[in-house]
Structures are given as C-alpha cells and as structure tokens.
Amino acid sequence: MSQGQRAELAAADPSVELADGEGRLGDTVAAYRAAVAGADAILLTTPAYNGTMGAVAKNAIDVASRPRGAAPIVGKPVLVAAAVYSPGADERVLEHATTALRIAGAKPLERTFGVTKHVEAFDEAGLVDKDRERELQALVADLLSPVPVS
C-alpha cells in the first residue's frame, strides 16, 4: 500500500451451517456471503489439520462458492496464508487451499505465505523473524494493489 492508502479489515464468521434440517439457509450464511461479496480482497488463513487446511477454512471457501453462477467469491483476489507446526505441511496446506479457491472461482495470488513451527515463530509483537514479517507485508500490499482505494 502506498502512503495515504487505507485498508479496512473485516472478519466474517465462516463457521456457519450450510442449511437447516429443511434445506433453508440461515441468516449467518447470508451475512457471510454478503461480507465476501462486499470485500475487495480476501486474506484466507488456516492452520493444518491432518496434513491439509482446517475444516473452517474449507467451509469458508465452500459457503462462498455457492450459489453457482452467483457465488460471491468468484473473481476475488485471495492471499492464502498458513501457520503450521510440521515443516513441509505448510506447502500442502497452501496448495490444497489454493486449488479449492481456484475451483470455487476465486483468484488466489501466485505467491502464498507459510510459517512452520508456528509456536516459536510468533511472539506478542508478531512474527519473530522480521524479514518474514516484511515478506508478509509485501504480499498484503500486492493483494491490495489492484483494489481501488477511496
């Protein structure tokens, strides 16, 4: 981001049920989809569970990928980031998430951001490795670069 630009961070709750027992969508689904539709860009973060992205991240993609033909995630630029413990798991998680996003119609950035040994990688001020922190900041700037700022 250049001097004077401002980004607004909005969190949406992707841990929503897709439908009630009778096939009706709940208010939380509509609110989440509206948040995705209103976003200029998305930062998707996830841990690793059993060698892949977490279920909440997968659900976030799935809920935003419907209804087909009018899915709010279509065409949205997305930066995918993962914080995992096991070395190598970040690459799998990032690949799985990027693949799911592409199938859903999103436009994930070519570059992703993974952190291994996440328990040691962060302190109360953020990433311990300031070079990695600057790398993440540059990726976020890339994510926001095509976004018009008012």
Side-chain angles (χ1 to χ4, degrees), residues 46-80:
T46 182
Y49 292 109
N50 298 315
T52 191
M53 74 181 112
V56 172
K58 179 67 167 77
N59 193 46
I61 296 167
D62 291 345
V63 171
S65 73
R66 299 290 186 271
R68 287 285 184 201
I73 201 167
V74 172
K76 298 287 181 178
V78 182
L79 170 58
V80 182

Side-chain angles (χ1 to χ4, degrees), residues 12 121 130 142:
K130 295 307 173 191
D142 288 348

Side-chain angles (χ1 to χ4, degrees), residues 6-149:
R6 185 175 85 72
E8 181 180 326
L9 180 63
D13 181 6
S15 59
V16 296
E17 291 186 37
L18 291 177
D20 65 12
E22 297 180 20
R24 293 180 300 243
L25 298 177
D27 292 340
T28 54
V29 171
Y32 175 67
R33 286 182 179 159
V36 172
D40 294 316
I42 298 168
L43 171 60
L44 179 76
T45 60
T46 182
Y49 292 109
N50 298 315
T52 191
M53 74 181 112
V56 172
K58 179 67 167 77
N59 193 46
I61 296 167
D62 291 345
V63 171
S65 73
R66 299 290 186 271
R68 287 285 184 201
I73 201 167
V74 172
K76 298 287 181 178
V78 182
L79 170 58
V80 182
V84 304
Y85 187 77
S86 302
D90 60 325
E91 293 172 18
R92 272 191 314 279
V93 171
L94 294 167
E95 179 185 345
H96 294 173
T98 299
T99 298
L101 285 161
R102 283 193 181 112
I103 291 169
K107 303 290 182 200
L109 298 183
E110 290 298 317
R111 291 183 52 215
T112 57
F113 187 80
V115 174
T116 58
K117 298 201 175 185
H118 66 291
V119 175
E120 299 140 16
F122 295 92
D123 63 16
E124 60 280 345
L127 281 164
V128 173
D129 183 336
K130 295 307 173 191
D131 288 335
R132 294 296 322 273
E133 189 169 288
R134 283 187 288 279
E135 179 185 347
L136 178 58
Q137 290 169 346
L139 283 169
V140 170
D142 288 348
L143 174 68
L144 298 176
S145 65
V147 175
V149 176

